[in-house]
Amino acid sequence: MKIAFLAMAGLVMGVVGGATVGIGLGLAWIELFNTSEFEGYAGMLVFFTFMPLGALIGGLGGATLFGMAAFRDHELAIDGKRMPHQGIKGV
């Protein structure tokens, strides 16, 4: 359950972060390549191309990273349930 929750949290945070980065990259693209602003073309380019691509990549990356981190933590918790070391007797 913890793995699924953290993967979903990573998905949401990755989508928001990726969309933000996508908007920033789109605005940089417009300035760098002097994209035409006729009838809102530049804005449509940013919000219909760069933002969805950034959200998609960020969401997949966030869900993967958070899911892997939770899965590794789960593996460590399973390994930690071994019998504790008894120590040396007679000391």
Side-chain angles (χ1 to χ4, degrees):
M1 188 69 159
K2 178 181 173 183
I3 297 171
F5 172 73
L6 284 176
M8 290 301 292
L11 176 72
V12 170
M13 288 193 290
V15 165
V16 172
T20 304
V21 170
I23 291 171
L25 289 175
L27 292 174
W29 178 278
I30 288 171
E31 292 297 321
L32 187 63
F33 293 106
N34 295 323
T35 304
S36 171
E37 294 185 17
F38 180 71
E39 292 187 357
Y41 176 73
M44 287 190 291
L45 177 68
V46 170
F47 287 102
F48 292 130
T49 303
F50 284 96
M51 187 177 72
L53 285 175
L56 179 70
I57 293 168
L60 290 175
T64 303
L65 288 175
F66 274 56
M68 286 175 51
F71 185 71
R72 287 186 181 165
D73 185 44
H74 178 69
E75 286 178 346
L76 293 175
I78 290 172
D79 288 341
K81 292 182 181 180
R82 294 184 184 161
M83 295 295 291
H85 183 56
Q86 297 296 326
I88 301 173
K89 293 188 179 195
V91 176

